[in-house]
Structure formats: C-alpha cells, structure tokens
Amino acid sequence: MPNMRPLTVVILAAGAGKRLKSSLAKVCHKLAGEPLIKHVIRTVQKLNPVSISIVVGHKKEQVINECKEFPVSIVEQKQQQGTAHAANVAIEGLTKDSRVLILFGDVPLISFATLEKFLEMSSSFNLGLILANKDDPAGYGRVIRDQDNNISAIVEQKDANELQLKIQEIFTGILCIGVEKFKKWYPELSNDNAQGEYYLPDLVYAALKENESIASFTVKNEFEIEGINTRLQLASSEKKYQKVLAEKFMEEGVTFLDYEHVYFRGDVEIGKDCLVDFNVLIDNTVIEDNVTIGANCVIKNSSIKSGTIIEPNTYIDGSTIAENCQIGPFARTRPGTILHADVKIGNFVEIKNSEIHPNSKINHLSYIGDTLVMENVNIGAGTITCNFDGANKHKTEIHENAFIGSGTQLVAPVKIGRNSTIGAGSTITKDVPDNELAITRTSQKIVANWQRPKKMRK
Ligand code: UD1
Ligand code: MG
C-alpha cells in the first residue's frame, strides 16, 4: 500500500542565495530571531519522519552550525546544479520503499497543519505538489494546466513566456515523491533551460510521461509559502509573520495596544490578560498571566510571573522575575538577575547577577551587581555595589530589613547585617553587624562668615 510507506524528509539548503548579496548563507538569515533553516527543521520534526536530511553546499559550515542541535543528517551537494540535483544527493542514500517530502530551506514558514493535510491527501500518489495562488507571482515557478485543468508543467520565471508570466498559480517548492519513482525519473531530467540546472518541478514531465496522476494541494495562507530570495522578501515575510504571531497571542487572550508595533523573536509565551503597550520586543521569554508591559520595552531570555508590571523604557535580559514585581520606568536588569515576589526596581537602576528577595526596594539610580539582597531591604537612591576591583569580581550580601542610605558605596566583598542601617553617603568597606548603624561620612563643619569668591573685574 503506497500510504504505508515510511516518510523521510529532505531540506534543500545548498544554494548560493545570490539575490541576498550576503556573506551569510541564505538559510542562516533570521526570521523572528531564528535562522530560516531552523523554522523548517522544527516544523518537519513534528511529522515524526524516519529521517531528516539537510543538503548543504554553499557556505556549508554556517548551515551545519545552525543544524547541529537537531538529529539530522547532513549531505553535501558539491556543485550547485539545481534543486533536483540537490534532492538527488540526499535521496541516493534512501531506501526505495519510502516516500520523501522535499522542502526548501528558504521557504521557512510552512506550517505543520498544512504539511500534515498535504501528506494525508497525497499519500497514495507518487508525486504531490503544494501550490498557491499569489497576487504577485514574480519569481515563482508558474503552474501550467491543460484544457482539462490538469497540471501539465511548471515553468520557472526565467523560462516563462509573457503569457505564462501572467499566471498567478505557483509552485511553493514543497513536494512529496515516492523514492523509487524519484530514482527512476531523475536521470530523465534535462538541464536545457535558462539556468542550465536540473529543476525539481521538471519531475512533473517525467510523471506525466508515465501517466502518473499528480496530487496537488493549494495553500490558502499566503504567508506560509513565501520564498525568501531577496532582502525585501525577508523583510516582508518578517512583517507578515509578526502579525500572524500577534494575532495568535490575541486569540490566546493577550491585549496589544498597537499589535502592529510589537515584535516577537525565538520562543515566546504570553499568558492571558497580559497587556502590552506599543513598541515592545519580546525575545525568547515566557510571560505568565496578568503581566503589564509598558511602551518601548525590550525583554529577552527571561521569565516573568503573573501580576508583574514592567513600566516603559525598561530593558530586561536573562532575568527571572517572580509575581507582582514593579520594574522601571528606565530600569535595566542584566543576566543572572533573580527578583522574588513584590520587589520594586525603579528608574535608572541596573541589576546584574543578583538575587533580590521579597518586598525589597531599589527605587532610584543604583547599580547592584553580584549581590544577595534578602527580604524587606530598602536601598536608597544612588547606591553602588563596588563589585569589581579592577581584576576580580566580589560579592555583596545585604540581609533582612537592612536600610541603605542614599549615595552609599558598598565595597565588595562585604556583608551588611540584618536590621542594620547605613548612613547616607557612606563608603562601606567592612562587614556591618546585625542591628547596628554604620556611617563613614565626615562630620559636617560650619565655616563662620565665609564669603563666596567674587568675579574679578578687568
Ligand atoms: C524555486 C523553484 C520554484 C518555486 C520557488 C518557491 C526550482 C527550479 N524552482 O525557485 O519553482 O516556485 O522555489 O520558493 O526548484 N538549492 C540547492 N541546490 C541547488 C539549488 C538550490 O540546495 O543547486 C536550494 C536553495 O538553497 C534553496 C532552494 O533549493 O533553499 C530553492 O532554490 P532557489 O534558488 O531559491 O530557487 P527559486 O528561484 O526560489
Ligand atoms: Mg528560493
């Protein structure tokens, strides 16, 4: 039974990508923060194929580097002689009883749902194609149909005549073929065309010669099948995809005050009843329910628990933020920041590699680095942890209920005891015991009858 054939996947990624004019391989360019090739690999993994082969060639080290986290096999196409030639390099090693889904690394947004439906409807055919209708078909292979509306050819842009160029039905580059048939038909292909290449869509001719019927599946969501060949296509796909992601989050219960000006990269999760203001970038971050994010925030590689409010113009990176915190406006948390529940971080505060326990407050103009801050600590404006001696980093500890007066420098390594108070303007270089006041300020002098200097007259 043909539909019992095991499924294998081949992704073509060996082409030069000339139209991008880039020193980076085409499939390594990023869409929503992820290289194009990774989008394709992640999607096909969900189909649970027997194997996934990636055909590499041009700038192969870059492509292999992006694929190394996945269980895929790498096959090299030494000379780029066209898409059918590339597919053959991978299919040569496959067993005849399987069928192979061939995808292009530069068509990154094809969805799992589309592939699943396509594989299902084409399962008993030896050749199945994914097609689409495009308002602007420029650059794509055009689908030619006969009087009975059956597919008779796919003609590349460069080989098409004027009439054919007007056709809006296009080949997406994604097809499924029985391995046995591919091995039979491939040697019949010719490279007598405008590019002197062996074209994958020419398999149509070989199939028709044998009176094989061809399955075709038309994709409705145009953005899924956008091929990325130019910087403009990359930018326009990014824009469309961002809108699709925003729509998905809105369906899941997120409010965007301006959904065309929020940006998502990498793996992003956003919980219900979150409110996101305009011009916000969320990159590889998990956000729980009821979080508010003000305008102009960048949040990356972080997690934020429910009820937290991020005020405008805040930059959060590599941070773990618990429930009901308030951060910003104009705050920066750097990698290694851990905020427990109900912590307040105010404007112009920078935190790095530090853990802040519940109910502690750092409200204004401070740098806290390599520091452990326990519960209910109040750190006054302009406090600096001097964590770097020019050669090494040192730790600061500030224990429960401590009160650090404004304008204090804590020279690490140093430990501030529970319930202790540091007088404003102090430079603390030694540990402070629990319950005590430490102050290093010089005492105030009053200079009697002192006069301000007067401007000298010439
Ligand atoms: C291709 C299709 C076209 C389709 C369009 C969809 C062919 C001949 N044309 O055109 O019908 O409408 O995609 O986006 O198939 N590659 C190799 N080795 C090669 C050549 C290409 O691995 O020798 C890879 C490229 O890296 C790329 C993919 O195959 O990932 C497609 O090649 P590309 O040059 O982008 O073809 P298009 O002109 O877009
Ligand atoms: Mg292409």
Side-chain angles (χ1 to χ4, degrees):
M1 285 267 292
N3 55 356
M4 298 299 285
R5 292 172 293 181
L7 178 73
T8 54
V9 166
V10 170
I11 304 172
L12 307 188
K18 283 193 212 106
R19 290 163 278 183
L20 279 180
K21 301 197 174 59
S22 177
S23 56
L24 185 66
K26 171 155 74 172
V27 297
C28 298
H29 280 260
K30 288 181 178 173
L31 194 66
E34 288 271 39
L36 304 183
I37 186 85
K38 283 198 187 180
H39 285 275
V40 185
I41 298 175
R42 290 227 166 94
T43 306
V44 296
Q45 272 187 320
K46 295 187 204 148
L47 297 166
N48 287 319
V50 178
S51 65
I52 301 174
S53 309
I54 317 283
V55 181
V56 300
H58 189 77
K59 302 213 162 69
K60 63 175 195 279
E61 294 77 16
Q62 295 175 356
V63 182
I64 292 170
N65 193 41
E66 294 298 356
C67 296
K68 62 175 190 265
E69 68 190 82
F70 299 101
V72 296
S73 27
I74 303 289
V75 193
E76 188 180 350
Q77 183 196 23
K78 293 218 165 66
Q79 281 177 333
Q80 281 69 65
Q81 295 178 32
T83 48
H85 179 260
N88 185 54
V89 176
I91 294 174
E92 264 174 344
L94 299 178
T95 53
K96 281 190 169 176
D97 64 336
S98 62
R99 62 180 184 143
V100 56
L101 174 68
I102 305 175
L103 304 101
F104 292 171
D106 71 343
V107 183
L109 295 179
I110 189 73
S111 71
F112 167 68
T114 296
L115 291 178
E116 208 183 24
K117 275 188 238 152
F118 166 62
L119 289 171
E120 169 77 38
M121 67 78 67
S122 65
S123 65
S124 58
F125 291 77
N126 273 315
L127 180 61
L129 311 172
I130 302 191
L131 309 177
N133 292 297
K134 288 204 65 116
D135 292 340
D136 177 10
Y140 293 88
R142 310 297 207 278
V143 179
I144 314 294
R145 289 182 181 269
D146 62 19
Q147 297 99 316
D148 302 326
N149 209 31
N150 293 320
I151 297 170
S152 59
I154 292 166
V155 177
E156 290 306 297
Q157 166 99 11
K158 288 186 177 151
D159 299 291
N161 63 34
E162 255 174 61
L163 220 63
Q164 291 167 334
L165 285 176
K166 293 209 174 83
I167 296 171
Q168 288 176 310
E169 188 178 20
I170 60 103
F171 173 50
T172 62
I174 302 165
L175 63 81
C176 190
I177 186 165
V179 168
E180 188 175 2
K181 289 293 180 187
F182 183 91
K183 290 188 178 187
K184 181 151 183 269
W185 294 340
Y186 175 68
E188 295 174 20
L189 302 185
S190 137
N191 66 351
D192 182 15
N193 51 48
Q195 302 184 80
E197 290 185 350
Y198 296 96
Y199 291 165
L200 208 43
D202 282 357
L203 289 168
V204 165
Y205 297 127
L208 292 178
K209 232 169 84 188
E210 280 193 13
N211 288 323
E212 280 278 351
S213 33
I214 300 170
S216 71
F217 180 88
T218 303
V219 177
K220 297 272 168 346
N221 287 336
E222 245 196 58
F223 85 92
E224 278 191 35
I225 54 85
E226 300 274 337
I228 313 275
N229 301 302
T230 64
R231 303 268 178 174
L232 183 61
Q233 284 170 329
L234 184 63
S236 107
S237 271
E238 176 80 34
K239 224 176 167 128
K240 287 179 194 158
Y241 188 46
Q242 291 297 337
K243 193 161 164 255
V244 167
L245 291 174
E247 282 165 6
K248 177 188 91 115
F249 289 125
M250 286 189 277
E251 256 168 48
E252 290 167 6
V254 178
T255 295
F256 296 111
L257 296 185
D258 180 353
Y259 75 96
E260 286 179 340
H261 295 100
V262 282
Y263 308 89
F264 311 98
R265 293 186 192 152
D267 286 335
V268 173
E269 287 173 35
I270 312 178
K272 283 203 300 288
D273 288 319
C274 285
L275 187 140
V276 181
D277 210 330
F278 69 89
N279 206 25
V280 168
L281 167 61
I282 305 172
D283 180 348
N284 198 30
T285 287
V286 176
I287 299 172
E288 285 192 351
D289 296 349
N290 285 304
V291 169
T292 300
I293 301 170
N296 302 317
C297 288
V298 174
I299 301 174
K300 55 197 242 194
N301 304 326
S302 296
S303 64
I304 303 177
K305 289 227 153 97
S306 61
T308 284
I309 298 173
I310 316 284
E311 301 280 7
N313 299 296
T314 293
Y315 187 95
I316 293 184
D317 182 9
S319 303
T320 305
I321 297 167
E323 293 85 356
N324 304 316
C325 291
Q326 193 173 333
I327 308 171
F330 296 98
R332 177 181 184 201
T333 67
R334 291 169 51 197
T337 294
I338 300 171
L339 305 186
H340 290 259
D342 303 299
V343 162
K344 280 183 82 178
I345 306 295
N347 43 215
F348 308 108
V349 172
E350 174 183 346
I351 308 208
K352 187 218 74 171
N353 192 31
S354 295
E355 183 168 359
I356 321 284
H357 281 261
N359 287 309
S360 288
K361 295 179 178 61
I362 311 163
N363 274 337
H364 330 265
L365 296 143
S366 291
Y367 170 63
I368 304 297
D370 304 309
T371 298
L372 174 69
V373 177
M374 298 307 291
E375 293 95 271
N376 298 313
V377 167
N378 192 317
I379 296 184
T383 296
I384 309 285
T385 54
C386 309
N387 60 331
F388 186 50
D389 59 13
N392 296 298
K393 299 268 169 65
H394 302 282
K395 287 200 164 297
T396 300
E397 286 180 24
I398 306 174
H399 288 270
E400 296 92 284
N401 295 310
F403 180 95
I404 313 293
S406 300
T408 292
Q409 296 113 58
L410 302 169
V411 182
V414 72
K415 201 183 277 184
I416 310 299
R418 309 175 56 206
N419 301 313
S420 63
T421 303
I422 309 295
S426 295
T427 302
I428 301 295
T429 52
K430 295 189 205 107
D431 290 355
V432 175
D434 296 349
N435 308 311
E436 301 291 353
L437 167 70
I439 187 160
T440 66
R441 213 186 292 159
T442 51
S443 49
Q444 185 169 320
K445 273 189 244 165
I446 302 291
V447 179
N449 300 320
W450 182 80
Q451 300 284 312
R452 282 193 198 167
K454 291 212 165 69
K455 196 169 176 116
M456 292 206 279
R457 296 193 191 283
K458 285 188 188 147

